[in-house]
């Protein structure tokens, strides 16, 4: 649910990068952050829990286009991937406008991908969202690894609706901006319907 | 057993004990069609061919290497290049062993293994998986699950390990045989209203699904603990103190498991603890 700031004339949208542990969510965000004009971006914030495990979220606003005189600012978040931080993931999904599911292409992580996608659906549903109705993009990351699973198999398992998907290598960048642009376009489309 | 009404297509559960050999009549509760259901003839279980091996790999050179190694030992080799072909050939040729690539096109090798092990005709078939390994060591991981397969061998070790592995599997199969209970006869209805292969009822599917989900979640939890603490877990495995070193992670995982998995599934069996113990046993085997 986007938030409108009338004083700065901005619509704030939240995009969450979701996926299993070590699939490359943070790497995606770091790449976007690195390649974004310094005037357009805020600080990249990383939050760790008291146990200093991998729980953190990154925050990155990107100014992109206008809607009826209001600027659109995207806030990009990642969730902690480790399976048992479900509560934190649920919290971060609050008020989400678009989701990028980052899947790890390695065969041995396929089960973790399926589990994470299930977890995404459950966490969204618990907050009254339906993944099938949200702006949503799938990214198959780590495509540079020879152990990467074939695309049609990944699609069969993780993308039965055949929504837009992108192959990516988040460490070096291919596919990262394509994924973000796609989800941002969908979010803008939704905004235009409402404003 | 389950039969499908030919008229309204509803699935009906029929108590096999009440069926007579010449067939029993009953009414479909939905559309009132009268159905005649005969007691199913048992599936004939054919013996697996002890000299035949199915080799499935998308790379010709790997399949060729395996084929030459096996032919030298006198095995008859059948080859396949994708998962669908493996399924078809495995059921037709009934080899005693299937050596398959993990990342097989169309259906993954591990899925093929799971499916064939779940069928009465091929449940005793042995499987050896050939994983795709990336040459950069940082991405290399020992498999945490073989998805029901019996062994796995990496491409570079085929020459050295494959034949010994097969001999070992054949030996193990011989040892198992006398103890193995005879497979239960699968019902098959002769009349049209029946499905050729008894499908589980909707209730059963859901319950199996739930168990599978519980197992999958449990495996994901332990795999994640490992992924984020590889060296520490291996140390704990060596020192036999995993449960004390990782007490808080195990507890946190259990919290999620209990939140996500319904009580009726958890009461069936402790899949959570089972997954952790399976994982630890597999790690131990690798580390030794």
């Amino acid at each position: 649910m986007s938030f409108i700031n009338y004083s700065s004339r901005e619509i704030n949208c939240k995009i969450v990068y979701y996926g299993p542990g070590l699939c490359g969510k943070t790497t995606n965000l770091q790449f976007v952050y690195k390649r974004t004009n310094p005037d357009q971006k805020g600080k990249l914030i990383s939050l760790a829990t008291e146990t200093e495990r991998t729980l953190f979220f990154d925050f990155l606003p990107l100014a992109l286009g206008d809607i009826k005189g209001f600027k659109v600012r995207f806030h990009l978040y990642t969730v902690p991937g480790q399976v048992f931080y479900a509560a934190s993931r649920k919290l971060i999904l609050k008020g989400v406008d678009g989701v990028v599911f980052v899947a790890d292409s390695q065969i041995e992580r396929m089960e973790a991908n399926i589990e994470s996608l299930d977890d995404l659906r459950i966490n969204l549903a618990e907050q009254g969202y339906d993944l099938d109705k949200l702006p949503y993009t799938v990214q198959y990351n780590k495509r540079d690894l020879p152990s990467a699973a074939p695309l049609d198999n990944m699609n069969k398992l993780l993308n039965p609706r055949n929504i837009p998907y992108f192959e990516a290598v988040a460490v070096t960048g291919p596919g990262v901006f394509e994924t973000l642009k796609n989800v941002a376009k969908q979010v803008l489309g939704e905004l235009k319907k409402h404003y | 057993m389950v039969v499908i009404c030919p008229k309204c297509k509803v699935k009906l559960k029929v108590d096999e004990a009440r069926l007579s050999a010449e067939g029993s009549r009953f009414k479909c509760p939905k559309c009132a069609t009268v159905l005649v259901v005969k007691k199913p003839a048992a599936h004939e279980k054919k013996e697996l061919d002890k000299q035949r091996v199915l080799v499935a790999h998308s790379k010709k050179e790997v399949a060729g290497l395996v084929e030459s190694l096996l032919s030298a030992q006198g095995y008859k080799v059948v080859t396949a290049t994708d998962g669908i072909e493996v399924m078809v050939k495995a059921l037709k040729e009934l080899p005693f062993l299937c050596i398959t690539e993990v990342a097989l096109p169309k259906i993954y090798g591990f899925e093929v293994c799971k499916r064939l092990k779940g069928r009465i005709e091929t449940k005793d078939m042995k499987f050896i998986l050939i994983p795709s390994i990336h040459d950069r060591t940082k991405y290399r991981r020992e498999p945490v699950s073989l998805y029901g397969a019996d062994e796995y061998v990496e491409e570079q070790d085929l020459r050295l390990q494959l034949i010994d592995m097969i001999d070992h599997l054949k030996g193990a199969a011989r040892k198992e045989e006398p103890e193995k209970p005879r497979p239960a006869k699968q019902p098959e209805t002769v009349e049209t209203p029946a499905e050729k292969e008894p499908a589980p009822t909707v209730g059963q599917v859901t319950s199996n699904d739930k168990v599978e989900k519980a197992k999958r979640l449990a495996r994901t939890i332990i795999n994640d603990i490992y992924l984020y603490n590889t060296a520490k877990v291996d140390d704990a495995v060596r020192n036999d103190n995993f449960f004390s070193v990782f007490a808080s992670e195990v507890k946190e995982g259990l919290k999620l498991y209990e939140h996500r998995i319904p009580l009726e599934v958890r009461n069936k069996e402790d899949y959570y603890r089972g997954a952790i113990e399976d994982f630890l046993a597999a790690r131990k085997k690798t580390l030794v």
Side-chain angles (χ1 to χ4, degrees):
Chain A
M1 200 173 55
S2 50
F3 162 77
I4 304 175
N5 185 340
Y6 286 96
S7 60
S8 61
R9 296 191 69 77
E10 277 181 357
I11 302 173
N12 291 270
C13 300
K14 182 174 187 176
I15 294 172
V16 175
Y17 281 68
Y18 215 90
L22 303 186
C23 68
K25 302 174 289 291
T26 304
T27 314
N28 258 277
L29 251 68
Q30 282 167 339
F31 188 83
V32 174
Y33 190 80
K34 213 164 61 189
R35 296 294 169 95
T36 309
N37 186 341
D39 306 335
Q40 286 182 309
K41 68 189 178 190
K43 272 187 189 166
L44 183 71
I45 299 166
S46 166
L47 288 185
T49 54
E50 69 278 11
T51 48
E52 289 190 329
R53 274 180 294 208
T54 54
L55 173 61
F56 57 84
F57 72 81
D58 310 304
F59 166 82
L60 169 73
L62 276 179
L64 235 172
D66 273 22
I67 291 184
K68 296 197 174 160
F70 281 79
K71 279 182 191 153
V72 181
R73 189 179 277 269
F74 288 96
H75 298 252
L76 308 190
Y77 289 76
T78 63
V79 294
Q82 252 174 307
V83 64
F84 39 66
Y85 294 134
S88 315
R89 283 193 291 275
K90 196 169 139 189
L91 201 72
I92 291 166
L93 280 175
K94 221 171 173 179
V96 67
D97 293 292
V99 176
V100 172
F101 183 77
V102 182
D104 190 326
S105 294
Q106 297 177 98
I107 303 253
E108 62 263 40
R109 293 301 285 161
M110 222 43 71
E111 221 174 45
N113 286 329
I114 297 169
E115 192 57 55
S116 177
L117 193 56
D118 256 15
D119 179 80
L120 170 63
R121 278 189 188 278
I122 293 169
N123 281 333
L124 282 173
E126 282 178 6
Q127 308 210 46
Y129 295 105
D130 179 355
L131 182 61
D132 298 341
K133 289 176 185 154
L134 263 182
Y136 172 53
T137 302
V138 178
Q139 181 190 82
Y140 299 129
N141 193 23
K142 307 193 188 176
R143 295 308 297 173
D144 56 331
L145 301 187
S147 60
L151 267 189
D152 53 341
N153 281 347
M154 292 199 72
N155 253 335
K156 205 174 83 190
L157 283 171
L158 304 169
N159 185 15
R161 280 197 299 137
N162 210 14
I163 57 137
Y165 63 86
F166 296 87
E167 293 184 72
V169 184
V171 260
T172 47
V176 170
F177 271 99
E178 289 83 347
T179 311
L180 176 60
K181 273 181 200 158
N182 183 277
V183 77
K185 208 170 118 190
Q186 292 182 55
V187 171
L188 282 178
E190 280 298 306
L191 282 178
K192 280 176 184 158
K193 272 190 217 164
H194 293 102
Y195 299 107
Chain B
M1 64 181 283
V2 174
V3 295
I4 295 179
C5 172
K7 200 172 171 196
C8 65
K9 304 290 177 209
V10 71
K11 281 187 181 177
L12 306 165
K13 204 173 172 183
V14 179
D15 183 0
E16 225 178 293
R18 289 171 58 190
L19 293 178
S20 62
E22 58 276 12
S24 304
R25 301 166 78 86
F26 67 94
K27 231 180 220 181
C28 168
K30 199 178 169 197
C31 67
T33 307
V34 177
L35 311 170
V36 182
V37 181
K38 282 187 183 172
K39 207 162 194 160
H43 265 298
E44 230 180 273
K45 183 169 180 316
K46 287 183 194 154
E47 285 290 312
L48 297 177
D49 186 340
K50 292 270 184 230
Q51 280 308 307
R52 202 176 291 265
V53 180
L54 178 54
V55 177
H57 208 289
S58 55
K59 279 195 261 172
K60 269 188 191 155
E61 56 274 32
V62 180
L65 170 65
V66 176
E67 191 173 356
S68 64
L69 289 170
L70 292 170
S71 303
Q73 299 291 320
Y75 289 110
K76 286 174 269 177
V77 178
V78 185
T79 55
T81 50
D82 66 54
I84 293 174
E85 209 183 334
V86 179
M87 290 295 294
V88 172
K89 288 191 172 166
L91 291 166
K92 195 177 156 209
E93 309 270 348
L94 294 174
F96 83 101
L97 170 68
C98 175
I99 302 171
T100 174
E101 178 189 5
V102 176
L104 207 56
K106 295 189 182 167
I107 309 175
Y108 291 139
F110 62 81
E111 269 196 36
V112 167
C113 167
K114 212 162 101 183
R115 287 187 199 182
L116 287 172
K117 288 246 177 190
R119 294 184 70 118
I120 185 108
E121 311 94 302
T122 47
K123 74 189 236 317
D124 296 329
M125 198 177 280
K126 299 285 177 194
F127 281 84
I128 297 178
L129 299 179
I130 306 177
S132 319
I133 297 291
H134 185 36
D135 54 0
R136 273 185 269 167
T137 48
K138 66 173 181 168
Y139 288 116
R140 189 186 178 285
R141 278 188 222 129
E142 291 295 331
V144 286
S145 163
L146 289 183
Y147 299 91
D150 302 275
E151 283 291 356
Y152 94 104
V153 57
E154 290 169 15
E155 273 175 42
Q156 71 272 17
D157 300 328
L158 280 169
R159 279 175 203 280
L160 282 175
Q161 296 180 359
L162 186 64
I163 299 302
D164 281 352
M165 208 173 257
I166 296 173
D167 290 345
H168 180 253
L169 283 179
K170 278 182 112 174
R174 267 197 297 277
K175 250 185 249 166
E176 273 170 29
E177 263 162 20
E179 292 157 28
K180 230 182 265 171
R182 285 185 68 78
K185 287 190 173 181
Q186 290 295 300
E188 187 182 40
T189 43
V190 182
E191 294 288 312
T192 35
E195 261 189 322
K196 279 209 168 165
E197 284 205 359
T201 59
V202 175
Q204 282 169 328
V205 170
T206 321
S207 153
N208 284 344
D209 264 8
K210 281 181 185 167
V211 169
E212 274 313 308
K213 276 194 174 177
K215 288 182 180 171
R216 193 181 69 206
L217 177 62
R219 283 194 298 264
T220 310
I221 292 171
I222 177 62
N223 283 342
D224 263 15
I225 294 176
Y226 180 65
L227 202 59
Y228 283 80
N229 310 278
T230 312
K232 205 171 151 191
V233 170
D234 282 347
D235 278 348
V237 170
R238 280 191 202 97
N239 302 328
D240 269 334
N241 59 2
F242 175 85
F243 286 100
S244 56
V245 174
F246 286 92
S248 70
E249 285 85 352
V250 170
K251 200 174 146 198
E252 241 169 313
L254 182 64
K255 219 163 77 186
L256 175 70
Y257 182 81
E258 285 177 347
H259 177 66
R260 287 277 161 86
I261 306 302
L263 190 64
E264 87 247 21
V265 180
R266 281 187 276 135
N267 282 344
K268 278 187 186 172
E269 205 182 308
D270 190 350
Y271 301 113
Y272 181 63
R273 182 90 185 188
I276 297 179
E277 277 165 3
D278 285 352
F279 174 89
L280 295 177
R283 276 313 297 154
K284 196 157 200 173
K285 209 173 143 193
T286 318
L287 293 171
V288 172

